[in-house]
């Protein structure tokens, strides 16, 4: 996937990806820790945007998933659910 750090941060600001946890490393600078499902979600977002869906449409789709606890999302994915099924499940549960 050819996506720059700048693009990822734009997607975070637009509500398409979760905010990373930033850690101060003292004189060595800072580090960002992303949830383990971020790569899968970024691939989903890139695919949707490549299909010419709007940022707003994609954000509405992923927002219910991003509002869930990160550890819950990770457990569900590790348990065999797909990202798409979790998105569908969380979107259905909010309607």
């Amino acid at each position: 996937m050819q996506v720059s750090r700048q693009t990822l941060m734009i997607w975070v600001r637009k509500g398409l990806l979760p905010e990373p946890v930033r850690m101060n490393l003292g004189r060595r600078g800072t580090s960002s820790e992303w949830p383990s499902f971020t790569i899968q979600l970024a691939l989903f977002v890139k695919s949707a945007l490549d299909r010419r869906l709007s940022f707003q449409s994609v954000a509405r789709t992923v927002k219910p998933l991003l509002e869930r606890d990160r550890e819950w999302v990770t457990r569900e994915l590790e348990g065999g659910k797909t990202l798409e099924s979790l998105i569908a499940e969380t979107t259905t549960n909010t309607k």
Side-chain angles (χ1 to χ4, degrees), residues 11-19 37 41 44-45 54-70 72-73 83 86-95:
W11 290 357
V12 168
R13 281 194 305 278
K14 291 188 177 281
L16 307 177
L17 293 177
E19 185 83 31
F37 59 88
L41 187 56
F44 176 87
V45 167
S54 69
F55 283 108
Q56 295 82 10
S57 175
V58 178
R60 276 193 306 273
T61 301
V62 301
K63 181 181 178 186
L65 181 71
L66 294 178
E67 290 176 341
R68 295 296 304 253
D69 178 64
R70 293 174 178 203
W72 176 85
V73 175
L83 183 69
L86 285 181
I87 289 170
E89 181 180 320
T90 56
T91 303
T92 302
N93 290 339
T94 61
K95 291 183 179 178

Side-chain angles (χ1 to χ4, degrees), residues 6-67:
Q6 180 180 5
T7 297
L8 291 175
M9 296 317 294
I10 290 169
W11 290 357
V12 168
R13 281 194 305 278
K14 291 188 177 281
L16 307 177
L17 293 177
E19 185 83 31
V21 174
R22 290 186 176 82
M23 297 169 285
N24 186 342
L25 302 175
R27 290 188 285 178
R28 294 186 306 193
T30 61
S31 177
S32 296
E33 186 173 302
W34 297 80
S36 61
F37 59 88
T38 304
I39 292 174
Q40 286 177 274
L41 187 56
L43 289 168
F44 176 87
V45 167
K46 183 170 183 346
S47 174
L49 294 174
D50 286 349
R51 292 190 321 267
R52 304 282 189 225
L53 294 174
S54 69
F55 283 108
Q56 295 82 10
S57 175
V58 178
R60 276 193 306 273
T61 301
V62 301
K63 181 181 178 186
L65 181 71
L66 294 178
E67 290 176 341

